[in-house]
Amino acid sequence: MRVEDLKTHFFTRAGVVRAVDGVSFEVRPGEVLGLVGESGCGKTVTGFSILGLVDPPGRIVGGRIIFDGTDLLQLGEARMRQIRGARIAMVFQDPMMTLNPVLRIDTQMVEAVRAHQDVDASTALRIARDALERVGIPSPDSRLRSYPHQFSGGMRQRVAIAIALLNRPKLIIADEPTTALDVTIQAQILYEAQKLCRESGTALIWITHDLSVVAGLADRICVMYAGRIVEQGSVDEVLDAPLHPYTHGLIGSVPSRNRRGAPLAQIPGMTPALVNLPPGCAFRSRCPRAQPRCTEQPELQARNGRLVRCFYPL
Amino acid sequence: MSAVAESLPLPKAETPSRRLAREFFSNRIATAAFALLLIIIFLALFAPLIAPQNPYDLSRVTVLDARLEPGERGSGGFVMWLGADGAGRDMWSAMLYGLRISLGVGVASGVIALAVGTAIGLLAAYRGGWLDALIMRLVDLQLSFPAILVALILVAILGRGADKVMIALILVQWAYYARTVRGSALVERRKEYIEAAHCLALPPRRIVFRHLLPNVVAPLIVVGTLQTAHAISLEATLSFLGVGLPLTEPSLGLLIANGFEYMLSGKYWISFYPGLALLATIMSINLVGDRLRDILNPRLER
Amino acid sequence: MVFIIRRIIQSLVVVLVMSLVVFVGVHVVGDPVHILISDDMTQEEIDAFIRRLGLDRPVHEQYFHFLANAVRGDLGNSFVYGEPALKLILQRMPATLELAFGAFLLAIVFGIPLGMYAGLKPDSAASRAIMAGSILGFSLPTFWVGLMLIMVFAVMLGWLPSTGRGDFMTWEGLRHLALPAFNLALFKMALVTRLARAGTREAALQDYVKFARAKGLSPSRVVLVHVLKNILVPVVTVLGLELGGLIAFSVVTETVFAWPGMGKLLIDSIQRLDRPVVVAYLVITVLMFIVINLIVDILYSMLDPRVRLKEAKA
């Protein structure tokens, strides 16, 4: 899939919020792309934009999303519905809220199957059962007849992943799926997600704010800030030798990176509100390397096979 | 620089009531409803001065005028724009007097119920413990039954008469107020400014009245308006059924009941216009209350 | 199962409490003799009556006497008809129930779809019209609307009969039922619409709706299965309690339309001072109330699985 210059804006009473402002990236089959950034940088909206799930007052105002040869943004709602859940699937952040609390698990899984495959109920049930087994849920038959609140958080998220896998999608968008879980469960799920993708050749976009998660999982990484991608490259390159000051700050502020006893490094200031952003580089007010030239908007430059949006990269 | 800054007056902070008014009137429907309500209250208050005829002054009313159609001229020399009823009373005048009574009884019972309910609710919230539990059980029990049923039970037990109807209306309504106030007061009570007042050793009564009460007012206003509309409707229903206010204090409900028998012969105006007045009153109060709820409630949750 | 038994026991307690309240209200607060005797008895007859009813006995003895009689179904005889009051009320009950259920169905059939539509498209003109209509609906005084309905449909247009009741489930019966049921339903319809709208608005914003869309489900399935089931819970609870209110409020409609139900009997009895019938009505209605509340609670637990488990664990 290739995203080209995607722009999604929210038209609120307080002003226009440019949640996604010219984002471009590419995901190849079987590849894991990490989309990293702080809360409010637009990464979740990017995920929703790909699936066409942006609700008013938001609207996709520009760009192209090329998937399997077609531009998704040109497709009508009926065609998009065929793609959603079948060729592109999504896993949300909080499984308690994404699974309907008054419906049984089998109902919610079978409907996802039958929306895209012309099978009868018992076949659909079998597919659901197999999916639950694949994500490592014990005694799937009884689990199918349970309700979401009867599962623990980690199990619920596995169910959500199982649902995403039901129709063998080519691309899965995972929006902070492990943020709400314990660290140990998180590690398990990360491992299993990686394994599944390798085995089935599914591409995965993993959206997170946690660099440590992405470090072990992704092949390539995009760093987002204030609605734009500020750095892009392979995981090793970006994390070992970051080019953008923001990326550098992010890596530096991960607790395990800091020495014991020394004050914790942080990026000064706060993420800017996306309403009515001032012109120029959005990171300017917090950047230790800012110069007068930074009042202009930097474009993405190529540097040794990577991309960075800065006039003065490291 | 500093001299200039000091001489500039500070911008006037907007008081809560002013902000309430501003938000309220920004909605056109609510403003229209409020205006209508003011007109209705005005009409009701000054009925004796406005009505062309006192419909209960037997010397001015003659049965010759009975069932005159709207727009005809009666024996008193004035045009009966809304027609006359079965006894020759001008409908417009009867309506104004009836409005007076309906509104009066509704509001009076509402105010008393509010006072009683608030007192009990505050007591329950402040004292807590078994008293609170007892009062709340009572409130829950009463509220689980529909108001009309409670009213009918009370009327059946207490008998007929204006004062009994008032008592019944008050007893029907106090529970809503008590529950609202108690809920609000419990939330407020846990907040720190009450603790602070406690620490200052202020007497309980002062804490309740000066500190607790003002913050409880907001939901009370909402419940108050909606309940008053409900009370007016309930009184009209009881009067229509013949178990409400007696003939000497004819409310709109009674007027409508009087017109019942003429309906089938097509003389609609005897029931229609009082009903319209009743509808206008209830609806304007409901619209105002609805708008107040929209404004006040989100703020409460913040 | 335990849940149901516990609720039944709770209801019995409430019944007992209510009997105490009715007893206290009738026998102690109001002058007991005054309420239960007819006005034209001689002093001798009054004394005999008092002795027969045991009204000269201590209060708690009277209470047990009352309970014993009540359980046996003896609530005194009507002054006007001379027959047992309970029998009279029970004879009229089917008519009232027919009216109440008719109104109940109308309120649901019209209220829920209207409310859901208004909730799904909250800013549309239709939605605003529906909401305005709902405020009108519960501001209109029921009895006045009844009169107007009679005037328009029976007198002016002559389409429907104005009074009386036809046979159950016949075309004539339905013709007679139409206006009164609609009249009674109006108020509740307004409430149901508002409730459904509020619930739908809230549900539509939930993550599980977005997730259902992300699975590629058709919009009708999303609405009819996911949203509806979630709003059913609060709506059913309120509706169930409102059914009792409908039965009580039928008093008004029955009077306007001369429908031969319990309510009309009650009003006539109050006006004719036929007090035993009044007491019988109160007893029956209160009992019905409690039964309805019980059924609503049970239904509630069946519809919302979370309640069932919570009670089981408790």
Side-chain angles (χ1 to χ4, degrees), chain B residues 141 144-146 148-149 152-153 155-158 160 226 230 233-234 236-238 240-243 252-253 256-257 259-260 263-269 271-276 278-279 282-284 286-287 290 293, chain C residues 14 17-18 21 25-26 29-30 35 132 135-136 138-144 147-148 150-151 154-156 162 187 194 241 244-245 248-249 251-252 255-257 266-267 270-271 275 278 281-282 285-286 289-290 293:
Chain B
L141 195 62
S144 63
F145 291 99
I148 183 103
L149 192 63
L152 285 174
I153 294 179
V155 162
I157 296 178
L158 298 170
R160 316 269 299 269
L226 298 174
H230 191 223
S233 184
L234 194 59
T237 307
L238 289 177
F240 174 81
L241 291 173
V243 293
L252 291 172
I256 299 176
F260 190 14
M263 289 284 297
L264 292 175
S265 49
K267 296 183 183 8
Y268 65 94
W269 58 89
S271 285
F272 183 65
Y273 292 111
L276 216 53
L278 190 61
L279 171 64
I282 296 178
M283 190 144 151
S284 53
N286 271 334
L287 283 170
D290 216 38
R293 180 177 38 204
Chain C
V14 177
V17 169
M18 277 318 295
V21 169
V26 168
V29 171
I35 289 188
I135 296 197
L136 193 65
F138 70 72
S139 305
L140 286 169
T142 311
F143 58 93
W144 183 73
L147 290 182
M148 293 300 120
I150 290 183
M151 216 187 55
V155 176
M156 286 188 191
S162 62
F187 189 84
R194 307 201 97 202
L241 303 174
F249 213 79
V251 166
V252 177
T255 307
V256 170
F257 289 90
L266 173 74
I267 295 297
I270 291 183
Q271 284 176 338
R275 298 188 184 96
V278 174
Y281 175 88
L282 292 176
T285 312
V286 165
F289 251 79
I290 293 174
N293 277 14

Side-chain angles (χ1 to χ4, degrees), chain A residues 48 52-53 55 81 84-85 90 92 97-103 107-108 111-112 115-116 147 149-150 163, chain C residues 206-208 210-219 221 225-227 229-230 233 303-306 308-309:
Chain A
F48 284 146
L53 287 178
D55 288 328
R81 235 187 301 131
R84 281 187 213 127
M90 193 158 177
F92 288 31
M97 287 321 296
T98 53
L99 293 173
N100 194 329
V102 301
L103 296 174
T107 316
Q108 301 191 49
E111 70 182 355
H116 300 283
Y147 286 90
H149 59 273
Q150 291 172 282
I163 293 181
Chain C
Q206 296 290 325
D207 274 351
Y208 56 77
K210 208 157 193 164
F211 188 60
R213 288 171 62 204
K215 287 196 281 195
L217 301 177
S218 68
R221 188 177 165 100
V225 173
H226 287 256
V227 175
K229 194 136 190 247
N230 268 276
V233 167
L303 277 177
D304 188 343
R306 292 173 282 190
R308 243 189 285 160
L309 270 114

Side-chain angles (χ1 to χ4, degrees), chain B residues 40-59:
Chain B
I40 290 177
I41 295 179
F42 178 79
L43 286 177
L45 276 178
F46 294 107
L49 299 175
I50 303 176
Q53 170 198 77
N54 180 345
Y56 304 107
D57 182 352
L58 291 172
S59 58

Side-chain angles (χ1 to χ4, degrees), chain A residues 209-291:
Chain A
H209 62 271
D210 191 345
L211 273 177
S212 43
V213 160
V214 127
L217 175 67
D219 301 315
R220 291 188 340 165
I221 181 175
C222 286
V223 180
M224 267 186 88
Y225 187 80
R228 296 204 172 88
I229 296 192
V230 296
E231 184 162 356
Q232 219 185 98
S234 80
V235 144
D236 299 320
E237 287 175 344
V238 172
L239 292 184
D240 288 338
L243 290 176
H244 195 281
Y246 175 62
T247 320
H248 179 78
L250 261 188
I251 297 173
S253 51
V254 170
S256 54
R257 280 277 191 138
N258 287 269
R259 277 199 338 269
R260 186 203 296 267
L264 207 56
Q266 21 169 328
I267 309 176
M270 286 178 29
T271 39
L274 288 178
V275 180
N276 304 323
L277 273 175
C281 175
F283 190 59
R284 162 165 60 101
S285 51
R286 308 166 71 187
C287 182
R289 298 163 58 90
Q291 308 274 350

